[in-house]
Amino acid sequence: MDRTRELLLSLASPPPHRCFLCDRECVMGEDGLCDDCRRILKLAISPAPPEGLDGLTAGIRYCDQLRTPFYRFKDGERRDYTPFFAQFVSIPEEWHAELLLPVPLHWLRQYRRTYNQSFLLSEYVSSRYGIPICQDLLVRIRRTPEQKNLLGAKRRNNLKGAFRAAPECKGRSIVLIDDVVTSGTTLSECAKTLKKAGAYRVYAACVACSDR
């Protein structure tokens, strides 16, 4: 009798899981969040695109509570965070996107990290929108200090000449995929490099954006 009662109770209420934001064991919704964290996250008003970009979207506003989850996703081998973050990436129909392009890492950084989080996001976005990924269109040819550790002009100068675009981008409408946009310097440099090589339109779709 007790076992039957336990089974009925388990069917009546979903099992607990760990919330992607607070990491507490709790009952989560389909978005991977507990009720408390769902109230914390705020939808983003897509920021103005930085120089070189023809459009930019971001799903949520970056906040302190996202710092640890993003760290786990990028540097903590937590690839299981990919579907959670990918749900906030959106591509407007009017962009007429032909290709998705994950923002590239320098080969040494990717070797040490073992993966590029932007590529993982691109895989989920590609399956949702039916847009192919072409990560060979842009290569990071110069290793640079992380942008988060720099300010102002140092951010802008840090990425000068850091990317090289393939001629196959000529005439294409491309969407860059990245996790967080802060100053927009990285996306801007990627877009300008692609356009210099002949890309028709370059957009960017990100998970989150900070208040710039």
Side-chain angles (χ1 to χ4, degrees):
M1 179 66 73
D2 289 341
R3 178 60 187 151
T4 302
R5 182 172 179 275
E6 287 178 8
L7 178 61
L8 290 173
L9 286 173
S10 68
L11 293 174
S13 59
H17 299 282
R18 290 196 176 277
C19 171
F20 280 102
L21 200 59
C22 66
D23 203 36
R24 290 182 304 170
E25 191 172 88
C26 54
V27 176
M28 302 188 309
E30 292 183 359
D31 55 6
L33 296 168
C34 66
D35 290 340
D36 290 338
C37 289
R38 192 174 297 109
R39 285 189 285 267
I40 292 172
L41 283 190
K42 304 295 182 185
L43 295 179
I45 298 174
S46 292
E51 183 183 359
L53 282 177
D54 297 289
L56 171 63
T57 63
I60 51 178
R61 290 174 59 186
Y62 187 81
C63 59
D64 288 341
Q65 289 82 358
L66 282 168
R67 188 185 306 275
T68 298
F70 269 120
Y71 173 79
R72 292 184 183 127
F73 177 48
K74 295 170 66 170
D75 297 298
E77 289 285 350
R78 292 296 301 273
R79 303 183 193 206
D80 57 305
Y81 273 69
T82 307
F84 169 69
F85 284 126
Q87 70 180 309
F88 299 109
V89 180
S90 62
I91 299 176
E93 188 176 343
E94 60 269 22
W95 285 2
H96 303 292
E98 298 176 71
L99 297 170
L100 301 182
L101 174 56
V103 171
L105 297 174
H106 186 268
W107 70 266
L108 183 57
R109 182 166 292 162
Q110 181 159 335
Y111 173 77
R112 289 176 174 173
R113 188 178 287 177
T114 72
Y115 62 94
N116 179 355
Q117 77 280 356
S118 295
F119 177 74
L120 298 182
L121 292 170
S122 297
E123 289 183 308
Y124 274 81
V125 176
S126 176
S127 65
R128 190 194 318 157
Y129 288 96
I131 304 171
I133 302 169
C134 190
Q135 59 179 333
D136 297 329
L137 291 181
L138 192 67
V139 179
R140 197 164 193 147
I141 58 175
R142 184 165 61 82
R143 192 182 179 202
T144 58
E146 291 193 59
Q147 289 290 93
K148 65 182 181 181
N149 299 323
L150 303 173
L151 297 173
K154 288 186 177 180
R155 270 182 179 261
R156 293 187 293 272
N157 295 328
N158 184 45
L159 293 175
K160 294 291 183 183
F163 300 96
R164 181 177 63 225
E168 288 78 10
C169 71
K170 186 175 181 178
R172 311 305 292 270
S173 183
I174 299 166
V175 179
L176 295 162
I177 303 294
D178 207 2
D179 48 7
V180 182
V181 54
T182 50
S183 68
T185 306
T186 301
L187 294 173
S188 177
E189 194 64 28
C190 289
K192 287 188 286 187
T193 302
L194 289 164
K195 286 190 170 180
K196 190 176 291 186
Y200 175 59
R201 291 278 188 271
V202 182
Y203 305 93
C206 305
V207 177
C209 65
S210 62
D211 295 326
R212 291 187 282 164

